[in-house]
Structures are given as structure tokens and as C-alpha cells.
Amino acid sequence: MRKAAAGDAQFQAASDQSLLVSFGQQITLDNHQRVLKLLHLLQAEPIDGIRNLQPAYCSLLIKFDPLRLNHDEVQSRLVPYLARLGKTPLPRPRAVEIPVCYGGEFGPELSDVAAMHGMTPAQAVELHSSPIYIVCFLGFAPGFAYLGGLPEALASPRLETPRAKVPQGSVGIGGSQTAVYPFATPGGWRLIGRTPVAMFRRHQDPMNLLQIGDHVRFRPISKEEFAEFSKR
Amino acid sequence: MSAILVQIPGLFTTVQDLGREGFGPIGVSASGAADPVSLRIGNRLVGNPQGAAGLEMTLVGGAFAFEQAAVIAVTGADFGPSLDDIPVAMWTSIEIHKGQTVTLGPSRSGARAYLCIQGGIAVEPFLGSASTHVLSGLGGFEGRALRKGDRLEFGAVNSLFRKKSLSPKALETLQPRKLIRVTDGPQSDWSPNSSWKTLCESTFRVAEQSNRMGIRLEGPAIPLDLSREMITEGVSLGAIQVPPSGQPIILFVEQQTTGGYPKIANVISADLHSLGQLRPREAIRFERIEMSEARSLLIHQEELMASKELFQE
């Protein structure tokens, strides 16, 4: 097994054309910021032969052209980038507000989630809409933003049987994660509400409403407001 | 512009090219042909750049009427192609007259057949690629599988074109494999030796629910150290992830971009096209090889793809 380290970054071959760079084995703001910084640096000053970058909570998966580079070469090309992380500033995060109609037909599991934690649905809504979440990365499907910062009191196990189709815009909780489903896709998270706002806009730039590093807040809206939004 | 009319769509037919790479930061996987080797060869047989868009058919092919003359090639699995009901050869350039119909039937060998047309299928690119991403309804023809009555345009003909065929030797060398070679995955060290033993000494069956997102396998459960906590991370094409059930899933072209299950192995790049030809219920086995060997197998494959011996005129 190929394992090596540079500073606090660890390298590991994930396949014959990808290298996983990990910053620790814990989801922390610090580790996530290192991922973000390395991502930004590699986007600003791309390395020839690197084809794709997949950030996550505390790792960056780097896919390269195996006909031009090997793992050792990618690793040594990364060392100067890693050395600059400490001095790399992050852009000021954007603040994005997402209106959500909680409960009812839009959030069929809101009552279950609330009951699981001994609170009323209103308390669960209050708790879910109070923190500022951080977009840790986009993954799973186009525009699906993994948000960090769900209050521990709302962490809920995934459904035993995932839904074949989760309605577009659904807001769900899966374990200690929360997110909005940008498309009608299969999914196993518990649904607590729905947003009328499009998370993925094919004809807009950027296509994603949310970008990695953004600060997100959910704002509870009524059914009527939801209908109003949907008309726009 | 010239066009084809879909008379019979087939079981699941989509527009595919070699996919869109580099959109991991926005959560979009590469997609692209499930058997890129067959698509690349098909395109070269009709004088296209190897990454032009063609039709990918799955298990059962369709019927396509040509409104204008065209040059086509049928590659991949043998779906018994015919031209106006007369059987035609695969892996060779075929001239089509205006009004003729190309028909493909049920598969006689692998899972996917490709219809490449000179000029390439013309669709509006999404993030630089014509590939259909079915889950999100993006790319390809209206982001979906083809239906009866769809009309697909194709690009200009190439006047410098000369008819050719794939050499029998190259066809033999590029045959899809049932013994899939793998290298270690990022969580290889999570698995006791018994998991490698289970993976490499058992026969697995391709489950019915397999698709372009993932190939689900049925076989003996792969033992894993479940006491370790996995943090969601980026996942690579061909990763063999093991959920708690122990039944492995190979992440495929329309894969999720991140995942939270441990990945004990990864299919080598040179064998990825073989995955695209796996049929439901088919039996496969795995062989563990070193990273350096995986690399030389890919170099060897690409040398063949670039060699003069690939085609004969």
C-alpha cells in the first residue's frame, strides 16, 4: 500500500489514476479549510495532467492522466502547493438564505424526527433554521451540497428503506448531515421540508445555487409563501 | 442538417461521448460511454474524432431510419445489427442510403452496443459534453433515454473518409474480460486478509439493479472491520465499495462523486470498458494486481489503440 505524508497531509493511491490527499481523520473546520485552500490553489494554478478534483470534508481526491503522470509524480508536484496552505487566504464566504416550508406534505418525517429527540415539530424547525451552515462540498449528484453544522440534537438515522424518488427541493437529515435534494433522485434521508428555490440552474452561471465554502441559513416559510415563490 | 428518426428506441438508449471531466467541485461526475473503447473505435471507423457523440444501446437495441445518406459503424456487443432487414457486419464502416433503416435486436454477447454516425450526433453540450446524465436529466438528448419519434441530427460528412474495419487481432485483444483486475483501494487496510480472499477467490453475479451509476454484485459477503468510522470522501471510477451488507458495488460512469462506504479495491483503468459489457446475472471474478502492472496494462492498451495495426482498409 502506498502511503506517504507531507506536513499534515497524507497521500494514498485510490486507483491507478487517482490520489487521495487527506488532512486528518476528523471533520473539523480546520481540516476542511485546508481542503478548500488546496482546491483553490489547484484551480488557480492547475497542474498539467490533473483531470479532476473532488473535495470532501477532510480530503481531496485528485484524478490524473495515468499516461502522463504517476502517483509519485503527482505527490511531488503537490508538495509546494501544500507548503503554501498556511499563507493562503480563503475568500470571504458568501451568505445564502434558503426559504424552506417545513413539515406537512413537504416534510413527511418532520414529526418523526422531532419525536425521536423529544421535541415538538416547531422546536425542530426552530433548531434546524437557527444555525449558519457551511457548504463542505458538493457531491452525490449535481448541486447536492453537504452542509456542516447540523445541531447534534437533530441528528437522525437514515430511513431503513431509501425512497426510490425524493421530490426535488426536499430538505433532509441523514445521520449528522443535512442537505437539499437538487433533483428528484433516490435517497434515504429523512425529509423535513422543501424549498421552492432551484438548487441547480442549468442555464445560469454559476449553475449551483451553493458553492463550496458558502454560509447557508434556512428561513422557514409558509405554504402560501412557497406557492408564491414557485410562481416566480 | 441530416437526421435519424427513432422508430424503436430499444430498452435504454442514450447519447454518449467520452464524458465531462473536471466538474467534481460542483458534484458532477464524468458520465460518458460505459464501454469507451467501443465508442472510440466506432467513431474512428466512420472518420470522426474518437470522442464524438454516438448512441449507446443497452441489452436490447432499437431501429433508426436515416433521412439522408450516412456512414455508420456498429461496435460493442453483438445485438445482431441489420440494414433494411439484411444482416450487416460489426466493427466496420457501412454506407447508408437515404431512407434506409438500421435495426439492432437483443444482445447476443455483452450489455452495450454503439451506433456511431459520421459527423457525430449533434446535441447541445452540457458542461462541454454530449453525454446523457440520466439521474439529473442533464446532457444528451433532452437529458433522457430515447423514445419513439425522437429526431436526432448528425453533423457534416467527412469527404476525406476511407472505409475500414477493425483488425481481427485487435478485436481479440480488446475483448471484454470476465476476470476483472483490481488494485488496492483507499480502505484496503481496513479489510482483514479474509476480505481479499473472499473478493479474489469467489465468483460474483451482476445484480439486475445494476446500471450506469453502479454495478451491484451478489456473492459471499465481504468481511470488513466495521468498528472503524468512515468519513465521506471523493470516490474514483471503478471503486469497489462495500456497504454493511458485504455485497460489493462497483461505482460506474454515472457514479456519485463522493461516498461514505469503505472501498477495498478499484478496477484498473484498462479493464473499465469491460465493466460496460457486463450483463445482469453474469458471473465475474477479481484478480488483485500491483499499481505498476495496472499502469503498464493501460499503456499497452493505448499503444494498441494508437497503432497502425488497429484497422485494415
Side-chain angles (χ1 to χ4, degrees):
Chain A
M1 163 120 358
R2 184 188 304 269
K3 261 192 175 169
D8 51 2
Q10 287 209 322
F11 301 106
Q12 194 167 15
S15 74
D16 61 14
Q17 51 175 327
S18 58
L19 179 76
L20 187 68
V21 183
S22 309
F23 298 95
Q25 286 301 312
Q26 260 185 327
I27 303 178
T28 64
L29 190 62
D30 213 37
N31 288 340
H32 182 250
Q33 290 200 335
R34 287 195 185 94
V35 174
L36 259 183
K37 286 177 181 176
L38 182 58
L39 173 70
H40 284 309
L41 280 179
L42 286 169
Q43 284 177 324
E45 300 161 41
I47 295 175
D48 223 23
I50 287 187
R51 290 173 155 177
N52 196 13
L53 302 166
Q54 184 58 58
Y57 290 114
C58 44
S59 63
L60 184 69
L61 182 72
I62 296 177
K63 183 175 181 184
F64 55 87
D65 180 351
L67 298 172
R68 292 171 59 188
L69 292 170
N70 63 33
H71 295 88
D72 290 334
E73 286 161 347
V74 175
Q75 227 165 275
S76 51
R77 300 286 300 272
L78 285 174
V79 169
Y81 286 79
L82 292 163
R84 288 161 59 195
L85 292 191
K87 283 179 247 143
T88 303
L90 277 176
R92 212 183 132 98
R94 303 183 317 153
V96 185
E97 191 182 75
I98 299 178
V100 177
C101 182
Y102 286 95
E105 54 174 316
F106 294 151
E109 275 98 47
L110 175 67
S111 319
D112 298 352
V113 167
M116 230 178 261
H117 303 288
M119 48 180 118
T120 64
Q123 287 171 322
V125 170
E126 164 78 31
L127 200 53
H128 189 261
S129 57
S130 49
I132 290 173
Y133 298 93
I134 295 173
V135 177
C136 295
F137 59 96
L138 289 110
F140 176 60
F144 191 99
Y146 284 79
L147 302 176
L150 181 75
E152 220 159 281
L154 283 175
S156 312
R158 291 166 175 80
L159 296 171
E160 259 174 47
T161 314
R163 282 185 170 83
K165 212 165 199 182
V166 174
Q168 179 177 334
S170 294
V171 179
I173 293 179
S176 55
Q177 308 176 104
T178 188
V180 183
Y181 283 86
F183 296 97
T185 56
W189 292 17
R190 285 173 203 266
L191 307 183
I192 58 167
R194 197 182 299 173
T195 179
V197 173
M199 305 301 290
F200 194 85
R201 303 135 329 158
R202 184 185 185 328
H203 294 290
Q204 279 185 47
D205 185 24
M207 293 183 184
N208 286 298
L209 178 69
L210 299 179
Q211 315 290 327
I212 187 165
D214 284 354
H215 284 181
V216 179
R217 193 161 209 156
F218 292 114
R219 180 168 64 85
I221 57 167
S222 67
K223 260 189 163 173
E224 291 70 33
E225 283 174 281
F226 186 99
E228 268 307 303
F229 257 107
S230 306
K231 269 188 229 153
R232 277 185 218 166
Chain B
M1 223 178 188
S2 310
I4 55 169
L5 191 68
V6 179
Q7 293 183 328
I8 302 169
L11 187 64
F12 183 80
T13 303
T14 55
V15 175
Q16 296 295 343
D17 60 11
L18 296 177
R20 49 188 72 81
E21 194 104 76
F23 298 99
I26 60 169
V28 178
S29 57
S31 194
D35 173 358
V37 167
S38 293
L39 180 77
R40 289 165 68 190
I41 292 172
N43 273 323
R44 288 171 62 185
L45 287 170
V46 299
N48 286 346
Q50 62 173 0
L55 294 186
E56 177 179 284
M57 285 166 256
T58 315
L59 298 171
V60 182
F64 310 93
F66 282 74
E67 294 181 358
Q68 279 84 20
V71 177
I72 66 154
V74 181
T75 60
D78 182 4
F79 285 22
S82 64
L83 180 60
D84 284 349
D85 297 326
I86 297 163
V88 288
M90 294 183 55
W91 306 102
T92 187
S93 355
I94 303 168
E95 281 175 287
I96 306 275
H97 301 299
K98 179 180 172 174
Q100 286 192 305
T101 299
V102 175
T103 307
L104 288 90
S107 167
R108 299 167 180 175
S109 55
R112 288 180 178 92
Y114 293 86
L115 173 61
C116 294
I117 306 173
Q118 194 174 87
I121 305 277
V123 291
E124 190 198 343
F126 165 62
L127 296 175
S129 159
S131 265
T132 316
H133 191 278
V134 179
L135 176 78
S136 54
L138 296 167
F141 186 82
E142 297 181 2
R144 58 167 171 84
L146 299 186
R147 295 179 194 142
K148 187 181 173 171
D150 286 344
R151 188 172 175 273
L152 283 83
E153 296 188 327
F154 56 92
V157 293
N158 174 355
S159 53
L160 297 171
F161 165 76
R162 281 161 73 185
K163 282 175 83 168
K164 49 182 172 268
S165 304
L166 184 66
S167 81
K169 199 171 158 229
L171 182 60
E172 175 72 37
T173 312
L174 294 167
Q175 272 302 307
R177 297 168 56 91
K178 306 298 168 206
L179 177 61
I180 306 292
R181 292 163 292 194
V182 300
T183 48
D184 282 4
Q187 284 79 37
S188 280
D189 57 346
W190 282 34
S191 38
N193 283 332
S194 59
S195 22
W196 273 107
K197 205 172 146 67
T198 310
L199 185 72
C200 294
E201 292 180 11
S202 316
T203 298
F204 291 88
R205 256 173 220 294
V206 176
E208 301 275 351
Q209 315 92 293
S210 299
N211 55 29
R212 287 172 45 85
M213 281 184 75
I215 298 166
R216 290 167 182 273
L217 302 176
E218 293 164 348
I222 293 176
L224 268 189
D225 178 3
L226 293 173
S227 63
R228 298 180 67 160
E229 200 192 342
M230 174 78 201
I231 300 173
T232 296
E233 64 188 22
V235 289
S236 50
L237 177 62
I240 301 183
Q241 62 170 25
V242 183
S245 69
Q247 302 289 301
I249 301 167
I250 309 175
L251 299 178
F252 203 33
V253 286
E254 230 176 86
Q255 64 173 78
Q256 54 193 73
T257 53
T258 56
Y261 292 130
K263 299 160 291 289
I264 66 162
N266 206 104
V267 175
I268 66 165
S269 299
D271 285 354
L272 289 172
H273 73 285
S274 296
L275 298 179
Q277 293 300 352
L278 293 176
R279 290 195 285 186
R281 297 182 299 283
E282 197 155 30
I284 58 166
R285 294 175 68 85
F286 294 100
E287 182 192 353
R288 184 186 196 177
I289 65 168
E290 289 300 321
M291 209 56 88
S292 53
E293 195 187 343
R295 188 177 154 80
S296 36
L297 285 166
L298 181 69
I299 291 170
H300 188 72
Q301 192 177 80
E302 288 304 318
E303 277 169 359
L304 172 65
M305 290 292 282
S307 76
K308 287 202 178 89
E309 286 79 53
L310 189 66
F311 297 113
Q312 52 195 32
E313 289 191 1

